Amino acid sequence: MRILQMVDYYGNFGGLERFIYNFSLELLEQGHDTVITALEAEETDWGTDVVPTIQVGALENWEARIAEYQPDLIIWHQGIYSGDVVYRLTKTYPVLATVHAPVCPARGRLFRDKDEICCKPGGLGCLPRWYMRKCGSSANPKAALQGLVQYNSAIKALKACRRIYTVSKSLKDFLVIDGIPENNVIIFDNTLGELAHFYPELAHVAPDAQELKLLYIGRLVYSKGVQYFLRSIRLLRERGIEATGTVVGDGWYGSKLKNMAEELGIADAVRFVGKVAGKEVHQWYERSDVAVVPSIWPEPAGLVVPEARALGKPVVVFDAGGLPEWSQWMDGIYVSRHADAEDLADTVETAWNDLRQGKPAGLSRTAPVQPEEAPEYRRINIIEDLHSVSFS
């Protein structure tokens, strides 16, 4: 098949771009012809293999590029800018979509006044909540209106797609809240088969080990909850545990987090590494004891979780979005109460004690969960499923 992929941005931003890279390599390996088309594209460092990529530069150029390529199938990796173009394309081509984040005017489904997750359908009601619940990141009314327009465009395009693939039950539930027919949304395995591989035993730590080395990897933005990570380190140190933290990644919230570390009196215990190449991330896992994913927005299914487990590290997550769903697939996942620094510290301490005592944590699997065990969490192979799409 000739498969054209559409994404607003392709580069080194985060999990979506990394998935697209891995997905493209798998398609090429299986004999398909694929190209990534993006409004903006940058050179990536996800790996050494090259994936064909075209930067279209502007929305009005996209359809011409697609007409030149003559795809059998279009896969839209849903973004905020391309909804109108995709809707027009559904009239001519078979279009499927992958959704890796909640579709929301404010883009996060997070009420930042109390760090609560929003479970309301999008619409005009989002405008007052934008200000009253502080879900919007900009106080400019134009930003709120633009966000609503982009949301409506995305939902319209998704409803016109032949099939929608998403990465967790949590994210599927949000799409249904937004009016997408449930039977058109399929949960897929965003590890592309790695769930079927054996995840190693947790790396044991000496019982008398003194230093607890914690790791955060990801973007430095408010919704990723690194502020709770820092507070938990402070709480652990107050308990007499020699906890240190490494923060790998960058983002607009980074300077505030560094100031927070100073204010909490833990600046000497936290190292901000900055951005590192994707192929070099493994070394930071190797230097850590416990990985922490403290997202307070409904994180869809962060790949950092299976990545850490594949290297033998336990992972502590907040009960947010699809993060706790990983515990259906692998052991070593510890779930803490959402947006609760005290409980996060407790959960990290439990993981640390289990490591030192050599205790197994949670279930242990060598294969994905089976439909008869937990059908709501079953994840299909997206590439195999592409062959079942009708092209008529």
Side-chain angles (χ1 to χ4, degrees):
M1 283 191 292
R2 290 175 63 79
I3 300 173
L4 182 137
Q5 301 179 64
M6 297 178 64
V7 64
D8 288 357
Y9 167 80
Y10 179 67
N12 292 308
F13 188 63
L16 170 59
E17 293 76 30
R18 180 175 157 202
F19 163 77
I20 294 172
Y21 177 79
N22 293 336
F23 177 61
S24 301
L25 290 183
E26 189 71 20
L27 287 173
L28 292 169
E29 185 175 322
Q30 293 193 23
H32 299 291
D33 188 346
T34 191
V35 63
I36 299 167
T37 59
L39 280 176
E40 181 182 354
E42 297 177 350
E43 186 175 347
T44 69
D45 56 20
W46 299 117
T48 56
D49 294 307
V50 177
V51 175
T53 306
I54 297 173
Q55 177 172 292
V56 300
L59 288 168
E60 57 267 23
N61 299 334
W62 227 326
E63 288 165 276
R65 289 286 194 170
I66 291 169
E68 291 172 7
Y69 185 73
Q70 285 295 300
D72 299 314
L73 181 67
I74 293 175
I75 298 180
W76 176 41
H77 303 293
Q78 185 267 321
I80 62 172
Y81 300 113
S82 43
D84 288 341
V85 174
V86 169
Y87 180 75
R88 290 196 298 271
L89 289 168
T90 62
K91 308 300 181 183
T92 307
Y93 299 94
V95 182
L96 312 182
T98 71
V99 180
H100 297 256
V103 185
C104 164
R107 305 182 193 175
R109 279 197 168 272
L110 178 67
F111 294 136
R112 292 186 297 157
D113 58 342
K114 296 182 179 179
D115 287 349
E116 294 176 350
I117 292 174
C118 170
C119 295
K120 300 180 181 295
L124 290 175
C126 293
L127 297 179
R129 291 193 289 268
W130 182 283
Y131 298 99
M132 295 172 63
R133 300 300 311 270
K134 298 183 180 179
C135 56
S137 58
S138 171
N140 188 333
K142 290 184 178 179
L145 289 170
Q146 183 183 44
L148 183 58
V149 168
Q150 290 169 339
Y151 162 83
N152 287 331
S153 173
I155 293 297
K156 182 180 179 181
L158 287 171
K159 288 180 177 179
C161 290
R162 298 198 182 185
R163 191 165 297 176
I164 300 168
Y165 299 100
T166 195
V167 294
S168 63
K169 179 181 181 299
S170 168
L171 193 43
K172 177 176 180 176
D173 291 344
F174 281 123
L175 289 171
V176 173
I177 287 173
D178 282 318
I180 304 297
E182 183 176 3
N183 61 3
N184 203 35
V185 184
I186 301 171
I187 303 172
F188 77 97
D189 172 15
N190 60 332
T191 73
L192 297 174
E194 289 301 312
L195 282 177
H197 293 178
F198 174 70
Y199 284 88
E201 293 184 4
L202 298 177
H204 297 309
V205 175
D208 58 351
Q210 297 299 309
E211 183 183 358
L212 164 55
K213 299 183 288 294
L214 301 176
L215 175 69
Y216 168 84
I217 294 181
R219 290 181 292 126
L220 303 188
V221 295
Y222 183 87
S223 61
K224 289 290 188 177
V226 188
Q227 57 272 32
Y228 289 91
F229 176 69
L230 297 180
R231 291 170 191 152
S232 71
I233 292 174
R234 166 68 182 269
L235 290 167
L236 289 165
R237 293 179 72 85
E238 287 177 349
R239 300 175 187 179
I241 298 173
E242 191 179 330
T244 61
T246 299
V247 178
V248 177
D250 62 5
W252 66 267
Y253 201 48
S255 59
K256 294 186 178 182
L257 292 169
K258 291 175 183 177
N259 290 337
M260 180 182 291
E262 292 278 359
E263 294 166 1
L264 292 171
I266 59 170
D268 292 342
V270 179
R271 179 182 182 186
F272 289 87
V273 174
K275 187 176 182 179
V276 301
K279 55 192 174 185
E280 298 174 2
V281 167
H282 69 278
Q283 64 181 295
W284 296 102
Y285 288 112
E286 292 171 354
R287 299 174 188 176
S288 70
D289 297 317
V290 179
V292 181
V293 186
S295 294
I296 54 176
W297 76 307
E299 183 84 48
L303 287 172
V304 67
V305 176
E307 185 175 69
R309 280 301 296 115
L311 293 170
K313 304 301 176 179
V315 187
V316 176
V317 303
F318 270 145
D319 186 6
L323 289 175
E325 293 179 30
W326 287 115
S327 64
Q328 296 287 329
W329 298 87
M330 61 193 73
D331 64 1
I333 310 299
Y334 294 78
V335 182
S336 172
R337 280 197 302 269
H338 177 253
D340 186 330
E342 186 81 38
D343 195 61
L344 181 61
D346 291 344
T347 309
V348 167
E349 187 173 358
T350 297
W352 169 237
N353 288 332
D354 286 352
L355 279 180
R356 293 193 296 173
Q357 296 170 23
K359 288 184 179 179
L363 66 97
S364 179
R365 289 189 179 275
T366 58
V369 68
Q370 297 302 311
E372 60 273 14
E373 297 178 90
E376 68 273 26
Y377 293 108
R378 179 175 178 262
R379 298 179 179 183
I380 59 96
N381 181 310
I382 185 172
I383 295 179
E384 289 181 1
D385 197 69
L386 294 180
H387 296 279
S388 67
V389 178
S390 171
F391 292 92
S392 59

